[in-house]
Amino acid sequence: MSRPRRWAAGALAIVATTFLCVSPAAAASSAVPTTTPTVAATAAEPGDSTAHATALVRGMSVAEQASTVVMGHVAGTDPAMLRSYMESGLGGFILMGANIPATEGELQSLTTALTVDPELPPLIAVDQEGGIVSRLHGDDYPASSSLKHLPVAETTSAFTARGSLVGRAGITVNFGTVADVTADPGTFIYGRALGTDPASAADRVSAATTAQEQFVASTLKHFPGHGAAPGDSHHVIPSTTMGLDQWRETEAVPFAAGIDAGASLLMYGHLAYTAVDTSPASLSAKWHEIAREELGFDGVAVTDDLGMLLSSGDPAYADPVANGVAAIAAGNDLVLMIAGSDASTAGAMAAGIAAAVEEGTLPAERLEEAATRVVALRLELAAAAAPWAVCDDCTPAG
């Protein structure tokens, strides 16, 4: 389940040329940023994070397991309010535009506040693709719209800088790598795709993944591929009749490359490949089986915003809690709900997932598996962050 991580070694190898910082006291004793590792960091080295996660999850109640597979969201930049929100035990939080304060120091304070338990920090995520989809201030690096036409090395440079920007803010997950591929400039996803053909997209997706994984857990989206399913999935459920054989030769190629490069998360789109499954991929056990068994993905499977299903207007997806339960049952490890949510939505979804287990409609083993993958990633990120820390007033390392 757990893959070797490059974060601890990789981030330190290039720290002198990026923006990671060390406190003046630490700088006096070493050119490399250091902190005192927490218990979680010490126990969760890459080789044993899964064993540690398994033990932690088995010690949780069903309600606690359900909370850890939910990534919540509320608007606002008040650290105290956000900390109070996270005290319910949610496994993660996604920062949207309304969560980003004016300065990086304020953002660091905000992400610190989201971490209720430093030994098991939540997954703190952002959509930082650059260009069209950009949340953070200061990301003036090339984005997909230009990178798709430039040498692959430019993608490496841009996403190295972007990963550093995300990581130094205290954000640990970037939903930032669009692995969809299309040559049609009239489609919804064209401006965000890293390539216009499978091979070129695969090269850039691989480069973006390798670059970001030095600093954060990167994510491939929107599996199994938005390019073949035209339409904006924020408002409809796009569909395609493309079969598996054609998919393997086209849409699958960039995702396979990103998985091979070590992407930590795979985001499932609200897209229906009707020849494979009439349900959206985000709710499809078949597509989860394909990603695990054919592509070898062993990281955290996360839904795209489940609020998008509500926005589709399809009455089959009118109940957000039912959507969350169905998503976990299908094979997702983490459910995400933004559009149409409020301060009570994530808690209601966690309660619904727990109730489904208690009622026997969601297998307890499936919830435990999902929670274990999420907790393992949280532990790995805690361990990877141990050698360095961000601060408001730092001396540059090196």
Side-chain angles (χ1 to χ4, degrees), residues 245-315:
D245 288 342
Q246 186 179 358
W247 173 81
R248 291 183 181 109
E249 296 175 357
T250 54
E251 308 298 310
V253 176
F255 286 100
I259 289 169
D260 289 346
S264 297
L265 298 99
L266 181 64
M267 178 178 282
Y268 283 72
H270 305 308
L271 319 166
Y273 279 62
T274 57
V276 180
D277 192 336
T278 57
S279 297
S282 53
L283 305 181
S284 166
K286 179 63 175 177
W287 279 113
H288 283 81
E289 176 185 321
I290 290 167
R292 300 288 184 193
E293 297 186 4
E294 288 197 27
L295 301 188
F297 179 66
D298 62 358
V300 171
V302 57
T303 68
D304 203 347
D305 174 16
L306 290 175
M308 294 160 64
L309 288 177
L310 301 181
S311 300
S312 73
D314 189 328

Side-chain angles (χ1 to χ4, degrees), residues 51-143:
H52 189 191
T54 298
L56 287 176
V57 170
R58 287 179 178 170
M60 292 178 179
S61 66
V62 170
E64 289 169 334
Q65 291 177 4
S67 289
T68 206
V69 302
V70 177
M71 177 170 278
H73 169 75
V74 287
T77 58
D78 177 11
M81 180 273 289
L82 294 175
R83 184 177 185 84
S84 177
Y85 175 77
M86 291 301 291
E87 286 175 348
S88 65
L90 296 174
F93 186 92
I94 181 168
L95 298 162
M96 301 297 287
N99 299 119
I100 309 301
T103 70
E104 187 175 67
E106 290 173 312
L107 179 56
Q108 291 170 357
S109 296
L110 187 152
T111 56
T112 297
L114 289 168
T115 301
V116 176
D117 179 4
E119 295 189 359
L120 186 62
L123 300 177
I124 302 175
V126 70
D127 287 307
Q128 192 62 32
E129 300 171 16
I132 296 171
V133 177
S134 190
R135 313 291 186 211
L136 305 184
H137 307 306
D139 188 346
D140 299 319
Y141 313 116

Side-chain angles (χ1 to χ4, degrees), residues 2-398:
S2 176
R3 301 177 304 289
R5 294 293 176 193
R6 292 177 295 281
W7 295 319
L12 295 179
I14 61 174
V15 69
T17 58
T18 61
F19 304 99
L20 302 180
C21 295
V22 60
S23 66
S29 61
S30 174
V32 175
T34 59
T35 62
T36 301
T38 64
V39 173
T42 303
E45 292 302 318
D48 67 358
S49 60
T50 299
H52 189 191
T54 298
L56 287 176
V57 170
R58 287 179 178 170
M60 292 178 179
S61 66
V62 170
E64 289 169 334
Q65 291 177 4
S67 289
T68 206
V69 302
V70 177
M71 177 170 278
H73 169 75
V74 287
T77 58
D78 177 11
M81 180 273 289
L82 294 175
R83 184 177 185 84
S84 177
Y85 175 77
M86 291 301 291
E87 286 175 348
S88 65
L90 296 174
F93 186 92
I94 181 168
L95 298 162
M96 301 297 287
N99 299 119
I100 309 301
T103 70
E104 187 175 67
E106 290 173 312
L107 179 56
Q108 291 170 357
S109 296
L110 187 152
T111 56
T112 297
L114 289 168
T115 301
V116 176
D117 179 4
E119 295 189 359
L120 186 62
L123 300 177
I124 302 175
V126 70
D127 287 307
Q128 192 62 32
E129 300 171 16
I132 296 171
V133 177
S134 190
R135 313 291 186 211
L136 305 184
H137 307 306
D139 188 346
D140 299 319
Y141 313 116
S144 300
S145 56
S146 60
L147 290 173
K148 60 166 60 80
H149 305 298
L150 297 174
V152 175
E154 298 295 328
T155 297
T156 296
S157 297
F159 277 91
T160 296
R162 186 163 290 125
S164 174
L165 178 73
V166 172
R168 76 181 194 241
I171 299 167
T172 53
V173 173
N174 190 17
F175 294 146
T177 309
V178 176
D180 308 302
V181 56
T182 180
D184 182 356
T187 61
F188 156 72
I189 206 67
Y190 178 83
R192 297 165 58 192
L194 280 165
T196 57
D197 64 85
S200 69
D203 289 342
R204 288 162 180 79
V205 166
S206 178
T209 299
T210 301
Q212 290 176 89
E213 286 281 334
Q214 300 172 98
F215 306 101
V216 296
S218 70
T219 308
L220 306 172
K221 62 184 186 185
H222 307 81
F223 188 78
H226 219 313
D232 185 345
S233 55
H234 291 86
H235 308 294
V236 298
I237 300 175
S239 66
T240 176
T241 58
M242 178 182 286
L244 271 179
D245 288 342
Q246 186 179 358
W247 173 81
R248 291 183 181 109
E249 296 175 357
T250 54
E251 308 298 310
V253 176
F255 286 100
I259 289 169
D260 289 346
S264 297
L265 298 99
L266 181 64
M267 178 178 282
Y268 283 72
H270 305 308
L271 319 166
Y273 279 62
T274 57
V276 180
D277 192 336
T278 57
S279 297
S282 53
L283 305 181
S284 166
K286 179 63 175 177
W287 279 113
H288 283 81
E289 176 185 321
I290 290 167
R292 300 288 184 193
E293 297 186 4
E294 288 197 27
L295 301 188
F297 179 66
D298 62 358
V300 171
V302 57
T303 68
D304 203 347
D305 174 16
L306 290 175
M308 294 160 64
L309 288 177
L310 301 181
S311 300
S312 73
D314 189 328
Y317 308 117
D319 182 347
V321 173
N323 294 339
V325 173
I328 296 296
N332 290 284
D333 305 307
L334 187 65
V335 294
L336 176 63
M337 177 78 183
I338 306 168
S341 66
D342 59 27
S344 67
T345 303
M349 189 166 289
I353 292 168
V357 171
E358 300 290 359
E359 294 164 3
T361 56
L362 175 65
E365 296 80 7
R366 171 78 275 272
L367 175 58
E368 183 175 319
E369 176 187 52
T372 300
R373 286 203 184 102
V374 172
V375 170
L377 181 57
R378 292 167 67 183
L379 291 172
E380 289 172 16
L381 287 163
W388 61 272
V390 291
C391 56
D392 294 332
D393 183 16
C394 296
T395 299

